[in-house]
Amino acid sequence: MKRVKKAVSAIGLVTIMISSSITHVFAIDSTVYEKINKEMITTGVTHEHILRFNKDGWLNANVVYVNLDSEGIELDLLQSSNGLASKETLSNMANMKDDVVAAINGDFFYATTPDSPIGAMIKDGKIISSPVFVHDYATFLVDQNNIASVDYWKYDIYAATDKGRIVPITSINKYTHEYQSIMMIDRNWGTETPGYNPNHYDMVEVVIVDDEVIEVRRQQPSTLIPENGYVLLASQGNAQVLFDNFQVGDIVNVRTNIHGNNLDDIKLALGGGTILVKDGQTANFTQGITGNNPRTAIGISKDRNQLILVTVDGRHQSFKGVDGAGLAKLMVELGSHEAIIMDGGGSSTALIRGLGELDSKLVNYPSDGAERRIINGLAVVSQLEEAELEGIKVEINHDKSFIGVAREITVKAYDENNNPLKVDGSQLKYAIKSGEGTFSANKFLPTKAGKTIIEVDYLGKKAEVTLEVLNELAMLKIVPESLRLSYSQTASLKVMGVDKKGYSTVIDSDYIAWKDEIGLGTFNGGTYTAGDQAGRTTLTATIGNKTASIPVS
């Protein structure tokens, strides 16, 4: 049990406005360790981080509870700035919008060129992308009364001309194989049509501006998609259908009928996969969700006014992930009366703007090692106005140190509406409540081992942070323990200091003297860059009279 405690101690956060609970349970469900950190990140939105260990290993989940009726909280859809024909990372999508407090990855997508979402994207009654072709993938919906639901949709889309012609449309801003089915695209798709090429036999593109056909193009190169219009297009057999039914000057209306839903009543809709939970119980899955993998899901409370946005990490050295049954069970545990699975695997991504943070940041561990480019996402946006200072959060860059090794203190402020505020560093006052050390700007240099408590005062608002100052440095350890590099390749090196009891912490590169014994590369802080000569060398890190080395080839 001591090993379990020690393994997770580095993951804990030291912040104000966080409630943290740790449970050690030996029960039928085999959970032996659980730590939950909760933080209100803005009014009506709470982030919960769950770290749990049981017979199946470690579970690492990020959960966001969103009260849909909270004033100033809105949902938004995220997509690439280049349109639905391309993918982008969730962080880049979120950075294009202001005041995103939370976001998760969204729908599945076709692994084709061009890209496109499998399911629907609807905002304020306007279709960005039509629903899924098949009916075994569900759609998440929030109506104009902020009531959320998930369901399997059936729909039909058609274009009607003023001459009485009716032409069915297969998709809106959604790729069909080699454009064989009739597709409608607008500026949500991108800036240009695909145009003719040998793979798109007999491509026809009907350009419509302000509901009037201005051009019927056959086997023509790509053209601009009008900003105040759209293009109907198809190749092969359906190209002839378009060519025969549309003429310049025709007035065209595109109608979308989503069975059981009025389009004007839809505030936001986003496609996903199978329904995981129905009526508070695991549903009958319409797609296979086998194997433990990273997962993303959206849950809905019984009163349908609260969303539960969940990511579970997997394909990681510590976290295996969950299968469909495990995900459904977790969603019910978290309060879901209904739930839908979203894209998972390497696409599972969660962003959070913590209380007092100015930007949203990645909080999960994407299984690719970095964020994957995805087709869309769901964002939670705060529209609350800036108010008076309410409080501060104090963080330290490492919760342990050694005598003579400084740590950086960061102060974040938030207002009465839980909006972040910029901090004027000249107004910060630091004090030691326990322990010994000195301050230089926002850095604290400890001079005595033991528990140190630092108090920060900012314009009358106070908060504390704790630093554990370890006993005498006994040895150094370099991570990784060896390197194999190509010419000009770089590697980041981390030096861990270890005391006589085996406790360790990172020692910043400012305190480390690095040496390449043979001189095959160069250092810039803790980053090593290989040169243009082959061979083997040894990299050595030194602090005081302590050294550590690793082999490099």
Side-chain angles (χ1 to χ4, degrees):
M1 208 53 212
K2 290 181 179 178
R3 290 184 179 180
V4 174
K5 289 181 182 178
K6 199 168 182 180
V8 299
S9 63
I11 304 177
L13 300 176
V14 183
T15 58
I16 297 297
M17 295 294 288
I18 290 181
S19 64
S20 179
S21 62
I22 299 179
T23 306
H24 302 274
V25 181
F26 297 88
I28 297 176
D29 68 358
S30 76
T31 297
V32 296
Y33 177 92
E34 183 176 79
K35 182 175 183 179
I36 301 176
N37 285 330
K38 296 181 181 179
E39 180 183 30
M40 178 186 289
I41 55 179
T42 192
T43 302
V45 184
T46 301
H47 173 224
E48 185 173 293
H49 176 235
I50 301 173
L51 185 65
R52 178 184 295 169
F53 185 77
N54 59 25
K55 63 181 179 61
D56 298 318
W58 287 102
L59 172 82
N60 193 61
N62 283 279
V63 185
V64 178
Y65 290 93
V66 184
N67 294 325
L68 294 174
D69 286 335
S70 292
E71 184 178 354
I73 297 299
E74 293 289 341
L75 298 179
D76 204 355
L77 299 175
L78 301 177
Q79 66 183 72
S80 169
S81 60
N82 295 319
L84 291 177
S86 59
K87 301 190 294 290
E88 190 52 88
T89 65
L90 187 66
S91 289
N92 285 346
M93 293 178 186
N95 288 339
M96 291 186 295
K97 293 185 179 290
D98 294 329
D99 301 318
V100 173
V101 297
I104 59 169
N105 65 287
D107 196 6
F108 299 85
F109 53 86
Y110 293 104
T112 55
T113 301
D115 303 307
S116 64
I118 285 182
M121 292 178 68
I122 301 174
K123 185 69 185 298
D124 295 327
K126 295 181 179 179
I127 295 180
I128 300 170
S129 179
S130 55
V132 64
F133 296 144
V134 293
H135 304 308
D136 55 357
Y137 281 59
T139 302
F140 162 73
L141 177 149
V142 177
D143 67 18
Q144 297 293 350
N145 294 316
N146 288 325
I147 302 299
S149 61
V150 295
D151 205 352
Y152 298 101
W153 284 5
K154 294 183 178 181
Y155 73 98
D156 53 79
I157 307 172
Y158 61 91
T161 74
D162 57 344
K163 296 177 181 177
R165 297 188 180 96
I166 304 294
V167 177
I169 297 173
T170 298
S171 72
I172 298 175
N173 293 324
K174 190 184 309 297
Y175 178 69
T176 65
H177 180 64
E178 299 298 351
Y179 303 102
Q180 294 178 39
S181 299
I182 296 175
M183 175 180 172
M184 170 185 158
I185 59 175
D186 60 19
R187 278 301 178 97
N188 286 301
W189 176 255
T191 57
E192 295 184 348
T193 67
Y196 167 80
N197 67 53
N199 292 327
H200 305 149
Y201 174 73
D202 202 23
M203 173 71 81
V204 170
E205 297 176 337
V206 180
V207 183
I208 300 167
V209 176
D210 293 332
D211 298 329
E212 182 179 350
V213 177
I214 65 166
E215 189 176 6
V216 178
R217 301 165 53 85
R218 190 171 199 169
Q219 293 184 321
Q220 296 294 312
S222 173
T223 189
L224 288 175
I225 301 172
E227 293 187 4
N228 54 337
Y230 53 91
V231 177
L232 300 177
L233 60 91
S235 67
Q236 301 185 25
N238 278 309
Q240 191 65 43
V241 172
L242 290 178
F243 192 78
D244 291 343
N245 283 277
F246 294 93
Q247 297 177 355
V248 173
D250 285 353
I251 302 302
V252 182
N253 285 304
V254 173
R255 305 288 176 84
T256 302
N257 177 27
I258 300 173
H259 301 182
N261 290 278
N262 184 334
L263 192 59
D264 291 336
D265 291 338
I266 298 176
K267 190 173 186 178
L268 179 143
L270 181 62
T274 184
I275 293 177
L276 291 167
V277 178
K278 193 72 174 177
D279 298 324
Q281 298 183 0
T282 299
N284 294 321
F285 300 161
T286 57
Q287 63 185 115
I289 322 175
T290 58
N292 292 324
N293 286 293
R295 305 289 184 183
T296 300
I298 300 174
I300 301 169
S301 62
K302 190 172 184 178
D303 63 9
R304 301 189 180 278
N305 288 135
Q306 186 181 65
L307 300 185
I308 306 165
L309 313 181
V310 179
T311 60
V312 177
D313 288 330
R315 301 179 192 168
H316 183 273
Q317 61 183 2
S318 299
F319 316 121
K320 293 194 302 182
V322 292
D323 61 8
L327 182 60
K329 181 180 177 182
L330 177 64
M331 297 305 293
V332 172
E333 174 195 330
L334 296 173
S336 301
H337 191 69
E338 286 185 353
I340 180 175
I341 194 170
M342 309 305 287
D343 192 11
S347 298
S348 285
T349 317
L351 304 178
I352 297 295
R353 190 188 78 181
L355 186 63
E357 300 277 359
L358 297 175
D359 299 299
S360 56
K361 297 178 181 178
L362 183 70
V363 293
N364 76 314
Y365 296 93
S367 62
D368 292 349
E371 287 187 62
R372 176 181 291 182
R373 293 168 61 246
I374 57 177
I375 201 69
N376 57 27
L378 179 66
V380 182
V381 179
S382 173
Q383 299 177 330
L384 296 168
E385 295 183 357
E386 188 173 304
E388 295 296 320
L389 174 67
E390 175 67 18
I392 61 172
K393 289 168 51 179
V394 180
E395 298 173 351
I396 199 161
N397 59 340
H398 299 289
D399 60 0
K400 296 183 181 67
S401 189
F402 287 94
I403 294 173
V405 176
R407 293 308 193 203
E408 186 175 343
I409 299 171
T410 303
V411 180
K412 300 167 184 177
Y414 54 92
D415 69 11
E416 296 168 347
N417 289 327
N418 297 311
N419 292 315
L421 299 173
K422 291 185 177 180
V423 175
D424 180 357
S426 66
Q427 298 296 318
L428 293 171
K429 299 177 182 178
Y430 301 94
I432 301 173
K433 298 191 70 176
S434 175
E436 294 180 8
T438 59
F439 295 98
S440 176
N442 67 328
K443 290 187 176 182
F444 174 72
L445 185 69
T447 56
K448 180 181 178 182
K451 183 178 180 180
T452 301
I453 300 175
I454 299 167
E455 181 184 77
V456 181
D457 184 316
Y458 180 62
L459 301 177
K461 304 296 183 180
K462 298 180 180 181
E464 295 178 356
V465 68
T466 300
L467 176 68
E468 185 68 27
V469 183
L470 302 179
N471 289 305
E472 182 182 350
L473 178 64
M475 62 175 288
L476 299 178
K477 181 180 179 181
I478 302 174
V479 180
E481 296 180 350
S482 64
L483 285 175
R484 184 178 180 87
L485 301 174
S486 301
Y487 299 135
S488 302
Q489 186 178 358
T490 63
S492 296
L493 301 170
K494 181 167 65 174
V495 177
M496 304 294 296
V498 185
D499 72 2
K500 294 180 179 179
K501 294 182 179 180
Y503 290 100
S504 63
T505 188
V506 175
I507 297 181
D508 294 334
S509 60
D510 293 347
Y511 294 91
I512 304 298
W514 287 101
K515 183 179 180 181
D516 179 347
E517 300 293 346
I518 304 298
L520 296 181
T522 57
F523 282 100
N524 182 9
T527 300
Y528 178 75
T529 303
D532 57 3
Q533 295 182 10
R536 298 176 183 274
T537 187
T538 300
L539 305 185
T540 301
T542 301
I543 178 172
N545 61 354
K546 299 294 187 296
T547 64
S549 300
I550 61 169
V552 179
S553 61

